[in-house]
Amino acid sequence: MIRALTVTLALIAATPAAAEVEIQELTTPGGIDLWLVEDHSLPFVALEIRAQGGAALDPEGKRGAANLMTGLLEEGSGDMDAGEFQEAREALAATFEFGVYDDTLSISARMLTENRDEAVALLHQALTEPRFDEDAVERVRAQVLAGLDAAQRRPGTLASRRFFANAFPDAPYGSDSDGTVESVSGLTRDDLMQSFQDLLVTDRAYVGAVGDITPEEAEALIDELLEGVPESGPELGGHVDFAAPGGVDLVDFETPQSIAIFGHQGIGWDDPDYFAAIVLNQILGGDGFDTRLMQELREERGLTYGVGTSLYVFDNAEAIVGSFASANATMGEAVGVVKDVWADLAENGVTEAELEAAKTYMTGEYPLRFTGNDEIARIMVGMQMLDLPPDYVIERNSYIEAVTLEDVNRVAARLLQPEDLYFVVAGQPEGLEDNVVGPAEAEEDAAEEGDETAPAE
């Protein structure tokens, strides 16, 4: 039944004409909440289902279980092996995508109206009767291990891993959700089945549907699809703060160009200053060539081809994180420029012209995100997970427009802490020797000296 007022909004569609989209809040007879957008112009439906928890639920010593498990959900189910399952899906012209992230398991599906019942039955089989056959497990495991091996040859990956390991050392966010060679090699079929049962649960599920389907049909479809799925799973973790102190941490890697990852504690979605913070981030290092960091690093000094910053908001942690690449000979100078820009914005704030340019860009690009049924379904589920109302898609730009110069400058002074900036630089950079005070170096020194507080290997 429809439990909330339908919201109508105008979105810029893929065509030049505007399209009207109505978000309907439904609850299925089985008690599953669902947001629906009816669009009968094309005979297909896009579904998006996300379950809160994700790779953060990997047990200790089993890192990578959720990632490997998710990679096997299309590798056979019920009485179908991997080949038979793929043939059945292709015969229906359906698309299923399974993904796992730090805090969520995602299931995306596209299906034709004429084959909808058969496609739902096949997807339901994958979500309730996975096989995890030995040959499939070993094939996908080999792919994961190959990816982990290749990652060791990418300086950007090495820098990112070191950064998050020191930023969140006591939380899943501090380790790669793909796992390690050791942890992935040791995963058993029982581990994968346990991960499957832990991650896909209905009391943490969020659902969006868009396309050629009525509310009554959508409710019946979701109940059929999730029938037999466990109701609850393990308890989710608690909040953690950014732990790495300010400084520079070096990862030695032979390459002519170093990669830098930098950042510190961020700000959450539910913080009253969040909208001012995202406007500030756009000015600092968001999209385009007009950001402060892009102007100072690229346009003024030619130290990089590109630099960007983002607000990372996990379920249980926040950070503001940036990255760039620079030649070894210029990395020291580039790190100094980032620190100077950070300090200047914190102390002196932004200009009215910068604020207006950022707001114009952010309000202009927002409707362009709604490019198709798949994207609308994903956006709706994301809104549900953040406990945003359906009219957020209407009101979002008004929140951006309401941000004042005083707001941004107050948040710049609050959020940007130059002394807390933590850099990880992978490469063989020059000009940083006097600045290296990173936590990883301190841990290594302590281990070499036999300090009993050094972390265990």
Side-chain angles (χ1 to χ4, degrees):
M1 60 184 293
I2 298 177
R3 71 157 194 249
L5 209 62
T6 294
V7 177
T8 304
L9 60 150
L11 300 176
I12 297 178
T15 60
E20 256 195 8
V21 177
E22 293 183 348
I23 298 178
Q24 302 177 59
E25 284 189 278
L26 313 174
T27 299
T28 74
I32 305 296
D33 291 339
L34 159 70
W35 284 16
L36 169 68
V37 170
E38 287 187 74
D39 179 4
H40 300 286
S41 61
L42 294 173
F44 81 95
V45 175
L47 294 178
E48 182 74 16
I49 301 172
R50 293 185 205 163
Q52 190 177 22
L57 293 177
D58 281 343
E60 185 175 353
K62 307 289 185 181
R63 196 64 166 140
N67 179 62
L68 181 56
M69 178 277 293
T70 306
L72 286 159
L73 290 180
E74 269 200 289
E75 298 293 329
S77 61
D79 60 358
M80 298 179 180
D81 63 19
E84 292 168 332
F85 184 91
Q86 295 293 350
E87 288 176 6
R89 182 189 55 75
E90 291 172 4
L92 295 171
T95 301
F96 304 151
E97 296 178 0
F98 305 96
V100 69
Y101 308 96
D102 289 296
D103 293 310
T104 57
L105 170 72
S106 73
I107 301 156
S108 305
R110 288 166 54 98
M111 56 195 71
L112 297 172
T113 302
E114 62 183 276
N115 298 331
R116 190 171 66 209
D117 291 344
E118 295 90 342
V120 168
L122 185 62
L123 181 56
H124 175 260
Q125 178 180 288
L127 299 182
T128 55
E129 302 178 67
R131 287 169 62 116
F132 301 137
D133 291 333
E134 182 179 357
D135 61 337
V137 170
E138 295 311 318
R139 182 175 63 255
V140 177
R141 190 200 308 269
Q143 295 169 358
V144 173
L145 291 173
L148 291 171
D149 179 65
Q152 296 300 317
R153 297 186 290 276
R154 294 194 294 266
T157 301
L158 296 177
S160 180
R161 286 179 175 176
R162 176 75 66 84
F163 180 90
F164 285 100
N166 287 325
F168 304 111
D170 300 319
Y173 310 126
S175 61
D176 192 332
S177 61
D178 288 351
T180 65
V181 171
E182 180 181 10
S183 66
V184 173
S185 297
L187 292 172
T188 67
R189 185 182 186 279
D190 287 344
D191 294 329
L192 301 177
M193 184 60 72
Q194 187 63 56
S195 177
F196 172 75
Q197 294 170 351
D198 289 345
L199 267 65
L200 183 57
V201 294
T202 58
D203 69 354
R204 293 201 289 258
Y206 300 82
V207 185
V210 182
D212 185 25
I213 191 169
T214 67
E216 294 75 19
E217 291 170 335
E219 291 172 0
L221 182 155
I222 296 304
D223 274 349
E224 178 183 350
L225 185 59
L226 297 180
E227 183 180 4
V229 171
E231 180 179 356
S232 60
E235 184 178 351
L236 301 178
H239 188 272
V240 293
D241 289 326
F242 192 100
V248 180
D249 190 355
L250 298 183
V251 178
D252 185 52
F253 190 88
E254 188 173 348
T255 175
Q257 181 172 259
S258 295
I259 306 291
I261 309 290
F262 59 93
H264 57 55
Q265 179 68 39
I267 190 170
W269 291 103
D270 55 354
D271 192 293
D273 284 333
Y274 179 75
F275 280 95
I278 62 172
V279 174
L280 171 65
N281 179 72
Q282 173 58 34
I283 296 168
L284 170 65
D287 296 331
F289 289 93
D290 295 329
T291 69
R292 282 280 188 99
L293 287 173
M294 187 71 86
Q295 286 292 312
E296 294 296 331
L297 285 169
R298 173 176 168 149
E299 302 301 323
E300 295 294 328
R301 296 172 177 82
L303 299 174
T304 186
Y305 285 110
V307 57
T309 59
S310 298
L311 295 177
Y312 279 50
V313 184
F314 304 102
D315 279 1
N316 291 301
E318 305 85 29
I320 180 169
V321 182
S323 64
F324 66 92
S326 190
N328 285 332
T330 57
M331 179 53 81
E333 179 185 359
V335 167
V337 171
V338 171
K339 292 180 178 180
D340 289 343
V341 169
W342 220 264
D344 181 62
L345 274 178
E347 182 177 356
N348 301 314
V350 308
T351 68
E352 188 71 47
E354 287 176 317
L355 174 62
E356 292 308 312
K359 289 161 66 170
T360 297
Y361 175 83
M362 295 174 71
T363 55
E365 65 84 28
Y366 182 66
L368 302 179
R369 301 179 188 181
F370 298 82
T371 55
N373 289 359
D374 303 55
E375 289 304 316
I376 294 172
R378 292 188 185 102
I379 289 170
M380 288 197 303
V381 170
M383 289 168 56
Q384 292 175 65
M385 297 190 77
L386 296 174
D387 199 27
L388 297 171
D391 66 357
Y392 172 79
V393 288
I394 300 173
E395 300 297 335
R396 184 267 191 184
N397 277 355
S398 68
Y399 300 151
I400 300 296
E401 292 288 2
V403 173
T404 67
L405 187 65
E406 180 182 0
D407 292 333
V408 173
N409 289 339
R410 172 176 48 77
V411 173
R414 170 194 167 190
L415 176 62
L416 302 181
Q417 302 296 321
E419 67 278 6
D420 292 339
L421 262 180
Y422 171 53
F423 289 82
V424 176
V425 181
Q428 296 178 326
E430 299 175 17
L432 289 176
E433 291 80 3
D434 295 337
N435 298 314
V436 177
V437 293
E441 291 261 323
E443 291 171 357
E444 291 166 4
D445 290 344
E448 291 172 358
E449 295 169 6
D451 189 326
E452 63 180 8
T453 64
E457 291 296 329

Short mmCIF file of all heavy atoms in Angstrom, two decimals, residues 227-261:
data_model
loop_
_atom_site.label_atom_id
_atom_site.label_comp_id
_atom_site.label_asym_id
_atom_site.label_seq_id
_atom_site.Cartn_x
_atom_site.Cartn_y
_atom_site.Cartn_z
N GLU A 227 11.53 -13.62 -0.80
CA GLU A 227 10.99 -14.71 0.00
C GLU A 227 12.10 -15.72 0.32
O GLU A 227 12.84 -16.16 -0.56
CB GLU A 227 9.87 -15.43 -0.75
CG GLU A 227 9.21 -16.54 0.05
CD GLU A 227 8.11 -17.24 -0.70
OE1 GLU A 227 7.90 -16.91 -1.89
OE2 GLU A 227 7.46 -18.13 -0.11
N GLY A 228 12.24 -16.07 1.59
CA GLY A 228 13.26 -17.02 2.01
C GLY A 228 14.58 -16.38 2.38
O GLY A 228 15.48 -17.07 2.87
N VAL A 229 14.73 -15.08 2.16
CA VAL A 229 15.94 -14.37 2.56
C VAL A 229 15.89 -14.14 4.07
O VAL A 229 14.84 -13.77 4.61
CB VAL A 229 16.06 -13.03 1.81
CG1 VAL A 229 17.20 -12.18 2.37
CG2 VAL A 229 16.27 -13.28 0.32
N PRO A 230 16.99 -14.36 4.80
CA PRO A 230 16.98 -14.16 6.26
C PRO A 230 16.54 -12.75 6.64
O PRO A 230 16.80 -11.78 5.91
CB PRO A 230 18.43 -14.40 6.65
CG PRO A 230 18.99 -15.26 5.58
CD PRO A 230 18.29 -14.85 4.32
N GLU A 231 15.89 -12.65 7.79
CA GLU A 231 15.39 -11.34 8.23
C GLU A 231 16.49 -10.48 8.83
O GLU A 231 16.51 -9.26 8.63
CB GLU A 231 14.28 -11.53 9.26
CG GLU A 231 13.70 -10.20 9.76
CD GLU A 231 12.58 -10.39 10.76
OE1 GLU A 231 12.20 -11.54 11.02
OE2 GLU A 231 12.10 -9.37 11.30
N SER A 232 17.41 -11.08 9.59
CA SER A 232 18.40 -10.28 10.29
C SER A 232 19.78 -10.93 10.20
O SER A 232 19.91 -12.11 9.89
CB SER A 232 18.01 -10.10 11.76
OG SER A 232 17.91 -11.36 12.40
N GLY A 233 20.80 -10.11 10.49
CA GLY A 233 22.17 -10.58 10.43
C GLY A 233 22.97 -10.08 11.62
O GLY A 233 22.41 -9.58 12.60
N PRO A 234 24.31 -10.19 11.54
CA PRO A 234 25.16 -9.77 12.66
C PRO A 234 25.02 -8.29 12.96
O PRO A 234 24.65 -7.48 12.11
CB PRO A 234 26.58 -10.10 12.15
CG PRO A 234 26.40 -11.02 11.00
CD PRO A 234 25.08 -10.70 10.41
N GLU A 235 25.35 -7.93 14.18
CA GLU A 235 25.32 -6.53 14.60
C GLU A 235 26.35 -5.73 13.82
O GLU A 235 27.47 -6.21 13.56
CB GLU A 235 25.60 -6.44 16.09
CG GLU A 235 25.49 -5.04 16.67
CD GLU A 235 25.73 -5.01 18.16
OE1 GLU A 235 25.81 -6.10 18.76
OE2 GLU A 235 25.83 -3.91 18.73
N LEU A 236 25.99 -4.52 13.45
CA LEU A 236 26.91 -3.65 12.73
C LEU A 236 27.88 -2.99 13.70
O LEU A 236 27.61 -2.86 14.89
CB LEU A 236 26.13 -2.58 11.96
CG LEU A 236 25.13 -3.10 10.93
CD1 LEU A 236 24.39 -1.95 10.26
CD2 LEU A 236 25.80 -3.98 9.89
N GLY A 237 29.03 -2.55 13.19
CA GLY A 237 30.06 -1.93 14.02
C GLY A 237 29.69 -0.53 14.46
O GLY A 237 28.70 0.06 14.02
N GLY A 238 30.53 0.03 15.35
CA GLY A 238 30.31 1.38 15.88
C GLY A 238 31.19 2.40 15.19
O GLY A 238 32.04 2.08 14.35
N HIS A 239 31.00 3.65 15.55
CA HIS A 239 31.69 4.75 14.91
C HIS A 239 33.17 4.77 15.27
O HIS A 239 33.55 4.44 16.40
CB HIS A 239 31.05 6.08 15.32
CG HIS A 239 31.57 7.25 14.55
ND1 HIS A 239 32.68 7.97 14.96
CD2 HIS A 239 31.16 7.82 13.40
CE1 HIS A 239 32.91 8.94 14.09
NE2 HIS A 239 32.00 8.86 13.13
N VAL A 240 34.01 5.16 14.30
CA VAL A 240 35.45 5.33 14.54
C VAL A 240 35.89 6.67 13.97
O VAL A 240 35.36 7.14 12.96
CB VAL A 240 36.27 4.19 13.89
CG1 VAL A 240 36.00 2.87 14.58
CG2 VAL A 240 36.00 4.07 12.40
N ASP A 241 36.86 7.29 14.63
CA ASP A 241 37.41 8.55 14.17
C ASP A 241 38.66 8.31 13.34
O ASP A 241 39.31 7.27 13.43
CB ASP A 241 37.77 9.45 15.36
CG ASP A 241 36.54 9.98 16.07
OD1 ASP A 241 35.52 10.22 15.38
OD2 ASP A 241 36.59 10.14 17.30
N PHE A 242 39.01 9.31 12.54
CA PHE A 242 40.24 9.29 11.75
C PHE A 242 41.41 9.31 12.72
O PHE A 242 41.52 10.19 13.57
CB PHE A 242 40.26 10.53 10.85
CG PHE A 242 41.31 10.52 9.78
CD1 PHE A 242 40.99 10.18 8.48
CD2 PHE A 242 42.62 10.87 10.07
CE1 PHE A 242 41.94 10.20 7.48
CE2 PHE A 242 43.59 10.89 9.09
CZ PHE A 242 43.25 10.55 7.78
N ALA A 243 42.31 8.32 12.62
CA ALA A 243 43.33 8.14 13.65
C ALA A 243 44.73 8.62 13.25
O ALA A 243 45.57 8.83 14.13
CB ALA A 243 43.42 6.66 14.04
N ALA A 244 45.01 8.76 11.97
CA ALA A 244 46.38 9.10 11.57
C ALA A 244 46.70 10.55 11.93
O ALA A 244 45.93 11.46 11.60
CB ALA A 244 46.56 8.90 10.06
N PRO A 245 47.84 10.80 12.58
CA PRO A 245 48.23 12.18 12.88
C PRO A 245 48.80 12.85 11.63
O PRO A 245 49.12 12.18 10.64
CB PRO A 245 49.32 12.01 13.95
CG PRO A 245 49.92 10.67 13.64
CD PRO A 245 48.79 9.82 13.13
N GLY A 246 48.88 14.16 11.67
CA GLY A 246 49.42 14.89 10.54
C GLY A 246 50.87 14.51 10.26
O GLY A 246 51.62 14.16 11.16
N GLY A 247 51.25 14.59 9.00
CA GLY A 247 52.62 14.27 8.61
C GLY A 247 52.65 13.63 7.25
O GLY A 247 51.64 13.54 6.54
N VAL A 248 53.83 13.17 6.86
CA VAL A 248 54.04 12.54 5.56
C VAL A 248 54.60 11.15 5.77
O VAL A 248 55.54 10.95 6.53
CB VAL A 248 55.00 13.38 4.68
CG1 VAL A 248 55.20 12.70 3.32
CG2 VAL A 248 54.49 14.80 4.51
N ASP A 249 54.03 10.20 5.09
CA ASP A 249 54.41 8.80 5.19
C ASP A 249 54.83 8.34 3.79
O ASP A 249 54.08 8.52 2.83
CB ASP A 249 53.20 8.01 5.69
CG ASP A 249 53.53 6.58 6.05
OD1 ASP A 249 54.67 6.15 5.85
OD2 ASP A 249 52.62 5.88 6.54
N LEU A 250 56.01 7.77 3.66
CA LEU A 250 56.55 7.38 2.35
C LEU A 250 56.41 5.88 2.12
O LEU A 250 56.72 5.08 3.00
CB LEU A 250 58.01 7.77 2.23
CG LEU A 250 58.33 9.27 2.32
CD1 LEU A 250 59.82 9.50 2.12
CD2 LEU A 250 57.51 10.07 1.32
N VAL A 251 55.98 5.52 0.92
CA VAL A 251 55.97 4.14 0.46
C VAL A 251 56.96 4.07 -0.70
O VAL A 251 56.70 4.64 -1.77
CB VAL A 251 54.58 3.69 -0.01
CG1 VAL A 251 54.63 2.26 -0.53
CG2 VAL A 251 53.56 3.81 1.11
N ASP A 252 58.08 3.43 -0.48
CA ASP A 252 59.12 3.39 -1.50
C ASP A 252 58.66 2.54 -2.69
O ASP A 252 58.29 1.37 -2.54
CB ASP A 252 60.42 2.81 -0.93
CG ASP A 252 61.56 2.88 -1.94
OD1 ASP A 252 61.79 3.97 -2.48
OD2 ASP A 252 62.19 1.84 -2.18
N PHE A 253 58.69 3.15 -3.88
CA PHE A 253 58.25 2.46 -5.08
C PHE A 253 59.00 3.08 -6.26
O PHE A 253 59.01 4.30 -6.44
CB PHE A 253 56.74 2.63 -5.28
CG PHE A 253 56.16 1.75 -6.35
CD1 PHE A 253 55.72 0.47 -6.06
CD2 PHE A 253 56.05 2.20 -7.66
CE1 PHE A 253 55.18 -0.35 -7.04
CE2 PHE A 253 55.52 1.41 -8.65
CZ PHE A 253 55.09 0.11 -8.34
N GLU A 254 59.60 2.21 -7.07
CA GLU A 254 60.42 2.71 -8.18
C GLU A 254 59.52 3.13 -9.34
O GLU A 254 58.94 2.30 -10.05
CB GLU A 254 61.40 1.63 -8.65
CG GLU A 254 62.41 2.16 -9.66
CD GLU A 254 63.48 1.14 -9.99
OE1 GLU A 254 63.58 0.13 -9.27
OE2 GLU A 254 64.22 1.36 -10.97
N THR A 255 59.40 4.43 -9.51
CA THR A 255 58.56 5.01 -10.56
C THR A 255 58.98 6.46 -10.76
O THR A 255 59.41 7.12 -9.81
CB THR A 255 57.07 4.95 -10.17
OG1 THR A 255 56.28 5.62 -11.16
CG2 THR A 255 56.81 5.61 -8.83
N PRO A 256 58.89 6.97 -11.99
CA PRO A 256 59.28 8.37 -12.22
C PRO A 256 58.28 9.38 -11.68
O PRO A 256 58.58 10.56 -11.55
CB PRO A 256 59.36 8.46 -13.75
CG PRO A 256 58.44 7.41 -14.25
CD PRO A 256 58.55 6.29 -13.25
N GLN A 257 57.08 8.92 -11.35
CA GLN A 257 56.02 9.82 -10.88
C GLN A 257 55.44 9.28 -9.58
O GLN A 257 55.00 8.13 -9.52
CB GLN A 257 54.92 9.94 -11.94
CG GLN A 257 53.79 10.86 -11.56
CD GLN A 257 52.83 11.10 -12.70
OE1 GLN A 257 52.88 12.12 -13.37
NE2 GLN A 257 51.94 10.16 -12.95
N SER A 258 55.42 10.10 -8.56
CA SER A 258 54.88 9.69 -7.26
C SER A 258 53.38 9.97 -7.20
O SER A 258 52.86 10.85 -7.89
CB SER A 258 55.58 10.45 -6.13
OG SER A 258 56.94 10.11 -6.06
N ILE A 259 52.71 9.20 -6.37
CA ILE A 259 51.27 9.37 -6.12
C ILE A 259 51.08 9.77 -4.66
O ILE A 259 51.66 9.17 -3.76
CB ILE A 259 50.50 8.07 -6.37
CG1 ILE A 259 50.78 7.52 -7.77
CG2 ILE A 259 49.01 8.28 -6.14
CD1 ILE A 259 50.22 8.34 -8.88
N ALA A 260 50.28 10.80 -4.43
CA ALA A 260 49.99 11.25 -3.07
C ALA A 260 48.51 11.10 -2.75
O ALA A 260 47.66 11.47 -3.55
CB ALA A 260 50.40 12.71 -2.89
N ILE A 261 48.23 10.53 -1.59
CA ILE A 261 46.88 10.51 -1.01
C ILE A 261 46.95 11.30 0.28
O ILE A 261 47.88 11.12 1.07
CB ILE A 261 46.42 9.07 -0.69
CG1 ILE A 261 46.61 8.14 -1.90
CG2 ILE A 261 44.98 9.06 -0.21
CD1 ILE A 261 45.69 8.40 -3.04
#
